[in-house]
Amino acid sequence: MKILFYDTYDYDKNAFEEQLKNFPDIHIDYLEADINPVTASLAKGYDAICAFVNSDLGALTLEILAGFNIKCILMRCAGYDAINMETAKNLGMTVLRVPGYSPEAIAEHAIGLALAADRHIVKGYNRVRENDFALSGLLGTTLHGKTAGIVGTGKIGAAMCHIVHGMGMKVLGYDSYHNPDLDFVEYVELDQLLRESDLISLHCPLFESNYHMINADSIAKMKDGVIFVNTARGGLVDTQDLIEGIRSHKIGACGIDVYEEEEPNVFRDRSSAVFESVVSTLCAFPNVVLTSHQAFFTKEALAAIANTTLTNAQAFAKGNLEQLPAPNIVS
Ligand code: NAD
């Protein structure tokens, strides 16, 4: 089976080449360019293409791929909102994905952001590099004995619940599904979670129904000086209201891995570009730590993504799709 990979970086290639040893019948070529109607024609002669979160797999791209008899789209991520699924179904395409990989990786990054922002770790490090050993401005909060509010207690949220519980925090959860494995979590309504939590961390998917669920109203309900973390999706938070919340000191520390306007930035080196963005506003605050969609980015997660993607590809090639876990199959 020959697969053309789009939107790849050296770390993708390394992770896949390592796993390929176990899949001798699969050959991969890697492109840096992402897929779109122009680059789709490069897939001529391949059996499948592999794409990522920000790829353009709209109707035109899919029709071009179908013209080259490509019947399999491999997403090396959980989300498939980049694909026009109606067109993919009409064209009889199989779409496979990686529904879950190292949820702990994201939860560990979330607590890392909380600590980095609240304990001013980046600022402290920069000071020490300049031989400035003063502590003024670096005061943080002890989390032990405080309350954590976890919004969404699925795979990643559950991992986060375990981490904060292990740190000695009381854990409040907000989710319509009450995870029976989390017997130490007290499930409450969102308003109570907002009112009582010292640390709030988002771990739910983004839907139309929860777009901007964190806005001026919900921020007003939070405790003064709350630590707020978002590693879920940018659209869950109204960025301008968040900025106001930080300015007014309602939010005492803020860790962000995803934000609304991230799409042109994610995974790209734009250090030479001149552009305006909320990034510079957020980074100007001394109590904000911002990363660019890197919460998933661990060796273990990349290995799991590569292994599942290649298992999906092999099942397609052998006509064994029924042997895959059902969530891997989108259509
Ligand atoms: P999951 O499906 O295992 O869990 C999601 C949970 O959220 C479910 O229990 C669901 O009932 C709950 N939920 C749905 N709507 C909710 C709402 N409005 N309020 C509260 N809870 C709600 O998903 P997961 O694997 O834990 O992933 C969670 C999210 O994390 C993903 O949807 C994605 O947006 C984000 N994510 C981020 C990264 C990153 O690198 N930053 C990587 C992977 C996933």
Side-chain angles (χ1 to χ4, degrees):
M1 184 182 200
K2 280 182 70 187
I3 311 171
L4 186 61
F5 271 51
Y6 287 88
D7 194 22
T8 57
Y9 294 83
D10 53 352
Y11 48 81
D12 295 307
K13 187 173 175 183
N14 293 343
F16 275 90
E17 288 299 309
E18 183 63 31
Q19 295 293 325
L20 263 185
K21 293 171 194 156
N22 305 319
F23 298 87
D25 298 335
I26 296 179
H27 173 83
I28 298 177
D29 286 318
Y30 302 89
L31 289 180
E32 279 180 30
D34 207 348
I35 192 161
N36 57 43
V38 177
T39 57
S41 55
L42 296 168
K44 186 178 178 188
Y46 288 86
D47 302 301
I49 66 105
C50 181
F52 200 47
V53 272
N54 291 316
S55 298
D56 169 4
L57 286 158
L60 182 55
T61 309
L62 294 174
E63 278 156 14
I64 293 167
L65 292 174
F68 297 130
N69 208 25
I70 288 175
K71 293 278 186 209
C72 179
I73 309 284
L74 299 161
M75 297 303 291
R76 53 179 193 280
C77 56
Y80 50 89
D81 45 295
I83 308 178
N84 184 324
M85 282 309 303
E86 200 183 329
T87 307
K89 279 182 193 152
N90 290 341
L91 293 169
M93 287 177 159
T94 299
V95 178
L96 304 171
R97 66 174 184 137
V98 185
Y101 48 86
S102 193
E104 294 80 11
I106 294 108
E108 288 168 13
H109 192 78
I111 197 68
L113 286 174
L115 294 171
D118 179 61
R119 304 298 297 271
H120 306 284
I121 289 172
V122 179
K123 198 172 171 184
Y125 169 68
N126 285 332
R127 276 192 194 176
V128 170
R129 284 181 54 171
E130 300 283 329
N131 285 342
D132 174 356
F133 306 105
L135 293 182
S136 182
L138 303 183
L139 194 63
T141 311
T142 302
L143 294 180
H144 183 92
K146 301 283 187 345
T147 300
I150 308 301
V151 179
T153 57
K155 291 185 284 298
I156 299 170
M160 186 65 171
C161 287
H162 284 290
I163 290 173
V164 291
H165 181 59
M167 293 173 77
M169 299 187 81
K170 175 180 173 182
V171 190
L172 301 180
Y174 171 67
D175 194 317
S176 57
Y177 174 71
H178 293 192
N179 187 334
D181 296 335
L182 301 174
D183 55 1
F184 56 88
V185 172
E186 183 187 339
Y187 280 97
V188 296
E189 288 304 313
L190 183 60
D191 276 7
Q192 186 181 343
L193 182 148
L194 297 173
R195 271 197 320 271
E196 296 182 7
S197 299
D198 302 284
L199 160 66
I200 296 174
S201 192
L202 303 186
H203 297 287
C204 58
L206 172 64
F207 301 115
E208 259 174 40
S209 55
N210 62 5
Y211 175 72
H212 282 184
M213 68 186 288
I214 301 300
N215 53 36
D217 283 348
S218 44
I219 291 170
K221 291 173 188 161
M222 294 178 188
K223 272 189 173 182
D224 289 346
V226 65
I227 303 168
F228 177 75
V229 177
N230 186 12
T231 55
R233 281 292 178 267
L236 294 169
V237 179
D238 183 318
T239 313
Q240 291 310 320
D241 290 355
L242 180 75
I243 289 170
E244 268 322 301
I246 299 164
R247 269 196 191 119
S248 68
H249 301 282
K250 174 58 105 174
I251 295 173
C254 185
I256 301 171
D257 188 53
V258 290
Y259 55 95
E260 285 182 283
E261 299 86 348
E262 71 178 30
E263 202 285 318
N265 301 340
V266 163
F267 310 143
R268 297 186 179 94
D269 177 0
R270 301 189 71 201
S271 51
S272 305
V274 177
F275 66 103
E276 282 183 28
S277 129
V278 294
V279 171
S280 46
T281 310
L282 286 165
C283 287
F285 295 119
N287 51 351
V288 174
V289 172
L290 194 68
T291 52
S292 183
H293 217 125
Q294 76 175 70
F296 76 100
F297 197 53
T298 65
K299 294 183 279 300
E300 292 75 9
L302 289 186
I305 289 170
N307 187 277
T308 304
T309 303
L310 294 173
T311 303
N312 288 344
Q314 184 166 268
F316 175 81
K318 293 190 170 169
N320 282 342
L321 287 181
E322 71 285 351
Q323 288 182 359
L324 291 176
N328 293 22
I329 304 169
V330 184
S331 77

